[in-house]
Amino acid sequence: MATQKKNHRKEHSIARKNGVREIKQTFLIVCEGEVTEPEYFNSFRLTSASVRAVGKGLNTLSLVNEAIIIKDQEKIRGKLYDQCWVVFDKDDFPNKDFNEAIKQAESNNFQVAYSNQAFEYWFLLHFHLYQGSLHRDKYGDMLTKLLGFKYSKISGEMGRIFNRLFPLTEVAMANAQKVLESFDRVSPAKAESSTTVHRLVQQLLKFVG
């Protein structure tokens, strides 16, 4: 219980540093991963915003097309979201597909939280500024050492991972921004390793209680 209170205080601190809390907003976050990403975004303790984070098991263009369908279906039901995001990885998918997916998402009023190569690169940035090509096959072992316990993508494990990462969120955001700046004028598909997940996290932090 003491740990939870401590983390909650840190959430207050980070939220204050990222600007004045805004009017309650709604987020639609459509993720490539079916477990890790949705559970991560649903772990943020938001008091002035609501999140619908869903994992579809689809990638790049397929995911973006599905996200558009979900958004349209929600609109028919009378549900409009203030912020719509898609979250997907480069992995080994063709550069053209990856870049086109970003373009298509943005043209349909989605913001994009991509990772090149994979989402766990965002987790690594909580600990160090990793720059240059870093294959995703190494992410799991690296995170296990950095977290102090075995990194797992199994459902239900994200709570412990999130609590370990959250106090380091500001470090991760600063590192992610530095990496992006180093890839100025480089297409996302060729910007390995990099991520824009921090842009979504920055938005969520505005609504932490």
Side-chain angles (χ1 to χ4, degrees):
M1 183 64 69
T3 301
Q4 292 179 349
K5 290 182 179 178
K6 183 177 179 181
N7 287 338
H8 193 60
R9 285 196 297 269
K10 288 181 179 178
E11 287 182 4
H12 274 287
S13 175
I14 292 178
R16 283 196 297 269
K17 290 180 181 179
N18 283 275
V20 178
R21 186 180 304 156
E22 300 178 4
I23 297 173
K24 185 168 183 176
Q25 289 201 357
T26 53
F27 288 77
L28 172 64
I29 307 174
V30 183
C31 308
E32 173 183 340
E34 296 182 85
V35 177
T36 302
E37 293 95 320
E39 289 192 1
Y40 172 74
F41 294 119
N42 282 324
S43 294
F44 283 84
R45 301 176 181 92
L46 308 179
T47 60
S48 54
S50 60
V51 170
R52 183 188 175 196
V54 295
K56 302 305 295 184
L58 300 171
N59 53 70
T60 55
L61 289 167
S62 297
L63 180 72
V64 172
N65 290 331
E66 180 66 17
I68 294 169
I69 292 172
I70 292 173
K71 180 182 176 182
D72 289 343
Q73 290 175 337
E74 291 286 89
K75 184 177 180 179
I76 292 173
R77 298 187 184 103
K79 178 68 174 179
L80 298 176
Y81 291 90
D82 296 299
Q83 295 195 37
C84 297
W85 290 79
V86 286
V87 181
F88 58 86
D89 300 339
K90 171 64 171 67
D91 293 327
D92 288 327
F93 296 106
N95 290 357
K96 181 180 178 181
D97 288 356
F98 187 69
N99 290 333
E100 181 60 29
I102 294 171
K103 181 180 178 180
Q104 183 171 324
E106 292 174 344
S107 67
N108 283 275
N109 297 316
F110 277 86
Q111 299 184 71
V112 183
Y114 68 76
S115 296
N116 186 347
Q117 292 182 345
F119 186 76
E120 283 79 7
Y121 176 68
W122 161 246
F123 291 167
L124 290 172
L125 291 177
H126 287 69
F127 300 96
H128 299 291
L129 176 60
Y130 292 100
Q131 292 182 282
S133 298
L134 179 62
H135 199 277
R136 62 188 182 280
D137 287 348
K138 299 180 180 179
Y139 293 175
D141 289 341
M142 293 173 68
L143 283 170
T144 292
K145 293 178 182 178
L146 294 166
L147 290 168
F149 53 85
K150 184 173 178 56
Y151 176 72
S152 173
K153 295 185 177 184
I154 298 174
S155 180
E157 290 293 308
M158 184 49 64
R160 182 166 63 150
I161 296 170
F162 183 88
N163 287 337
R164 177 72 174 90
L165 294 176
F166 190 84
L168 303 171
T169 302
E170 289 182 352
V171 173
M173 291 193 297
N175 285 340
Q177 184 59 36
K178 288 178 183 177
V179 170
L180 273 187
E181 290 172 357
S182 72
F183 284 114
D184 185 36
R185 299 182 182 180
V186 175
S187 74
K190 293 184 177 181
E192 183 186 342
S193 303
S194 67
T195 185
T196 59
V197 172
H198 65 293
R199 293 175 177 170
L200 172 51
V201 170
Q202 187 176 41
Q203 292 301 310
L204 292 173
L205 289 176
K206 295 178 181 179
F207 307 99
V208 171

